[in-house]
Amino acid sequence: MGFISLLVVALRQDVGQPWEYIAGTTDSTLARWIVNGALSVVSDLLAVTLSVHLVWKLQMGKQPKTLVITAFALRMFVLPILIIRLISLRKVDPNDFSLSYALPEAYTQVEMHCNLIATTLPCLRLFLTAWNTNFMDMRLEEMDPQAYQEHVSSANKS
């Protein structure tokens, strides 16, 4: 998102006063955010497409392939929030920018947090399994090993 924002600002035609946001021109905040959102959607779709392309012909089971593709596809859940944020930007009043921009800013924060969650969610399993000490494990095998062995042997006989 930062790289795309940098490109949008750097590729402007008029760079005389980059701090001015005039609502009626093609250089408005809304136009910048729409371009930023569109490029963000394209980069997310490209990442998912490339992950499918890279994993498709590998000689491995379906489960690891699905896991890799799902890790990249989690970013697709952020797209509705991005669209809601872009729609809310249309209602920003340039004469009362600070107050009318409060809701789009809140949506921006929600989008950033969802991006962070979608990016780190596939990595959490490694940390959580490493921290698993089986303390307070409520399985019969852990609570009463002898009863578990009796249960297994009786189940095997039947």
Side-chain angles (χ1 to χ4, degrees), residues 2-19:
F3 179 70
I4 292 170
S5 298
L6 183 66
L7 281 178
V8 169
V9 172
L11 297 176
R12 287 181 31 187
Q13 294 175 351
D14 179 27
V15 291
Q17 296 176 333
W19 55 87

Side-chain angles (χ1 to χ4, degrees), residues 33-72:
W33 279 115
I34 288 175
V35 170
N36 189 332
L39 291 175
S40 179
V41 168
V42 167
S43 67
D44 287 345
L45 291 174
L46 186 64
V48 172
T49 305
L50 286 176
S51 71
V52 171
H53 177 69
L54 290 173
V55 173
W56 193 260
K57 294 182 181 180
L58 289 178
Q59 294 179 355
M60 58 192 308
K62 289 183 181 180
Q63 185 179 8
K65 287 181 183 181
T66 306
L67 187 64
V68 169
I69 294 169
T70 303
F72 284 96

Side-chain angles (χ1 to χ4, degrees), residues 4 16 24-25 42-43 46 55 63 80 108 113 127 135 138 145 156:
I4 292 170
T25 66
V42 167
S43 67
L46 186 64
V55 173
Q63 185 179 8
T108 303
H113 285 86
F127 294 109
F135 180 69
M138 302 302 282
N156 287 339

Side-chain angles (χ1 to χ4, degrees), residues 8-141:
V8 169
V9 172
L11 297 176
R12 287 181 31 187
Q13 294 175 351
D14 179 27
V15 291
Q17 296 176 333
W19 55 87
E20 282 189 10
Y21 298 121
I22 302 169
T25 66
T26 58
D27 195 27
S28 68
T29 306
L30 179 61
R32 287 183 190 189
W33 279 115
I34 288 175
V35 170
N36 189 332
L39 291 175
S40 179
V41 168
V42 167
S43 67
D44 287 345
L45 291 174
L46 186 64
V48 172
T49 305
L50 286 176
S51 71
V52 171
H53 177 69
L54 290 173
V55 173
W56 193 260
K57 294 182 181 180
L58 289 178
Q59 294 179 355
M60 58 192 308
K62 289 183 181 180
Q63 185 179 8
K65 287 181 183 181
T66 306
L67 187 64
V68 169
I69 294 169
T70 303
F72 284 96
L74 283 173
R75 303 265 308 140
M76 295 297 111
F77 292 111
V78 180
L79 296 182
I81 299 167
L82 171 71
I83 292 168
I84 290 170
R85 180 177 62 88
L86 291 176
I87 290 171
S88 71
L89 278 170
R90 297 183 72 198
K91 299 176 184 173
V92 173
D93 181 19
N95 297 324
D96 188 18
F97 189 74
S98 62
L99 190 58
S100 66
Y101 193 69
L103 188 60
E105 179 61 29
Y107 287 137
T108 303
Q109 296 297 321
V110 170
E111 181 190 356
M112 288 189 333
H113 285 86
C114 288
N115 276 326
L116 183 63
I117 291 168
T119 304
T120 57
L121 200 59
C123 303
L124 286 179
R125 183 174 181 214
L126 297 171
F127 294 109
L128 293 178
T129 54
W131 286 348
N132 186 9
T133 62
N134 289 330
F135 180 69
M136 300 281 294
D137 196 351
M138 302 302 282
R139 294 179 297 160
L140 181 61
E141 179 183 9

Side-chain angles (χ1 to χ4, degrees), residues 139-149:
R139 294 179 297 160
L140 181 61
E141 179 183 9
E142 296 295 325
M143 293 178 67
D144 191 358
Q146 183 179 2
Y148 176 74
Q149 289 300 325

